[in-house]
Amino acid sequence: MQALNHSTTTFLLMGLPGLEKMYIWLSIPLCAMYMVAVAGNSLILWVVKSETVLHQPMYYFLSMLAMTDLGLSFSTLPTMLTTYLLGQQEVKMNACLAQLFFIHTFSVMESSVLLSMAFDRFVAICNPLRYTTILPSPRVAGLGFAIVVRSVGLHLPAPIMLKKLPYCHIGQLSHSYCLHPDVMKLACVDTHVNSAYGLFVVLFTLGMDSMFIVASYVLILHAVLTIASKAERLKALNTCVSHICAVLLFYTPMIGLSMIHRFGKQASPFIRVLLSYLHFLMPPMLNPIVYTIKTKQIRQKIFHFFQSHGARMRVG
């Protein structure tokens, strides 16, 4: 079969299978989720920037998480809304490759930021007297730069390698956004090299990060159990609740997808797509909500903002 020219190669996106007649209605909650994600993470960034009391490592990492969540939201937004709201399912190859690069890059950035936040909690609980010495602002900035370099550097080859593959027909993707495994399987040549590289990146990033996060909490739990006072133990653990929620929101759907791909070959495509949506859409929406609920300073600043804004509207 003759391969298509790259400039004319087009892929077809797909929403939730079996609900095609409801796409226009599904676009309403999707738009709401994106609005909450953008507004929530923007508020987090504004509060951390404006409140000098929050200028410390824990909240710098929270700002990184908010920026990553914004990037992830804006990466999936264009094709999801065109698929559900406009019914436009075609996407050109170059646009598809650019999207998958940003989606996977921001996903690994989020994993790296969660690992950095786990290290922050480990230092704060296990070595509190040296907290500011171990994590000064320049070192936090250096960690942020390393996260960007690692994520971009590891994912830059993926779209380049996919660009060189021949595609024999207009292919049907499994989601309403482009992902590396989805695009790769539409090539009409052997893709073992691309598959091996993708597996290496996943193991080196998400796999390693998750193991180090678990190791951090094992050490944190060990340190907390040595504290004599029950009240102090609960206080120490309470500082980790928001981060644990963020980790579970990010990794649980991903683990579910991995289990389905490994053991659930007959699983419904609807479940696969739904888990993918949970993995990419829920953390950006729920992370700012969790941190607002659990962080007094952020909660108070946002409350005062809306209170003063409402007062100005009443006066006007």
Side-chain angles (χ1 to χ4, degrees):
M1 188 181 295
Q2 187 177 4
L4 295 174
N5 187 296
H6 282 156
S7 62
T8 60
T9 301
T10 302
F11 301 122
L12 293 177
L13 302 167
M14 186 176 73
L16 284 167
L19 299 178
E20 288 79 7
K21 294 181 179 179
M22 297 179 61
Y23 278 3
I24 188 66
W25 297 108
L26 290 173
S27 67
I28 297 173
L30 284 174
C31 288
M33 290 171 66
Y34 278 116
M35 290 175 64
V36 171
V38 172
N41 287 291
S42 299
L43 274 173
I44 292 289
L45 290 172
W46 172 71
V47 169
V48 173
K49 182 178 183 296
S50 59
E51 284 292 305
T52 54
V53 71
L54 300 180
H55 292 178
Q56 49 184 299
M58 175 182 176
Y59 299 104
Y60 290 147
F61 287 126
L62 178 57
S63 296
M64 292 182 198
L65 184 65
M67 286 188 286
T68 303
D69 281 336
L70 283 172
L72 192 56
S73 293
F74 286 126
S75 297
T76 58
L77 175 65
T79 54
M80 285 204 73
L81 290 189
T82 55
T83 298
Y84 283 95
L85 190 60
L86 304 178
Q88 177 63 44
Q89 294 180 273
E90 291 188 1
V91 59
K92 294 294 184 182
M93 181 180 185
N94 289 336
C96 187
L97 295 181
Q99 184 184 45
L100 71 84
F101 168 75
F102 285 112
I103 288 177
H104 290 297
T105 297
F106 281 115
S107 182
V108 167
M109 280 187 190
E110 178 136 352
S111 175
S112 303
V113 171
L114 290 173
L115 173 59
S116 300
M117 296 174 85
F119 177 69
D120 169 81
R121 291 299 83 208
F122 166 74
V123 174
I125 292 173
C126 299
N127 206 343
L129 297 179
R130 297 189 59 208
Y131 180 63
T132 54
T133 305
I134 295 174
L135 286 173
S137 296
R139 187 165 294 168
V140 173
L143 281 172
F145 180 73
I147 287 171
V148 173
V149 171
R150 177 204 192 201
S151 303
V152 172
L154 284 172
H155 285 98
L156 198 56
I160 297 174
M161 293 167 70
L162 289 174
K163 177 81 170 178
K164 294 179 179 180
L165 297 176
Y167 299 89
C168 303
H169 50 81
I170 297 178
Q172 175 77 60
L173 299 174
S174 304
H175 303 84
S176 51
Y177 39 74
C178 298
L179 298 175
H180 180 267
D182 245 9
V183 175
M184 181 179 63
K185 70 183 182 184
L186 297 179
C188 52
V189 293
D190 181 76
T191 57
H192 279 93
V193 174
N194 301 70
S195 180
Y197 183 76
L199 179 62
F200 162 75
V201 171
V202 169
L203 293 177
F204 186 68
T205 55
L206 302 178
M208 283 183 58
D209 292 351
S210 60
M211 288 191 296
F212 282 125
I213 289 172
V214 171
S216 297
Y217 273 102
V218 169
L219 295 173
I220 288 172
L221 187 60
H222 179 266
V224 168
L225 292 176
T226 62
I227 300 175
S229 169
K230 181 180 179 180
E232 290 299 317
R233 287 200 300 269
L234 292 175
K235 183 180 178 181
L237 288 174
N238 190 53
T239 64
C240 301
V241 171
S242 299
H243 179 254
I244 292 172
C245 290
V247 169
L248 292 176
L249 283 171
F250 181 78
Y251 281 104
T252 303
M254 186 183 70
I255 293 172
L257 274 173
S258 301
M259 296 295 288
I260 286 177
H261 282 298
R262 178 66 180 85
F263 302 108
K265 300 297 184 182
Q266 305 302 318
S268 165
F270 180 89
I271 299 298
R272 296 172 188 262
V273 175
L274 184 61
L275 282 174
S276 178
Y277 284 1
L278 291 176
H279 176 59
F280 289 115
L281 303 184
M282 296 305 287
M285 182 183 71
L286 294 181
N287 282 340
I289 296 174
V290 170
Y291 275 94
T292 299
I293 292 173
K294 293 298 297 180
T295 308
K296 182 179 178 181
Q297 296 94 326
I298 294 177
R299 189 169 61 248
Q300 288 179 338
K301 182 69 175 181
I302 292 175
F303 176 75
H304 289 154
F305 169 76
F306 284 110
Q307 190 179 47
S308 60
H309 187 68
R312 285 196 299 269
M313 288 181 67
R314 285 193 296 270
V315 171

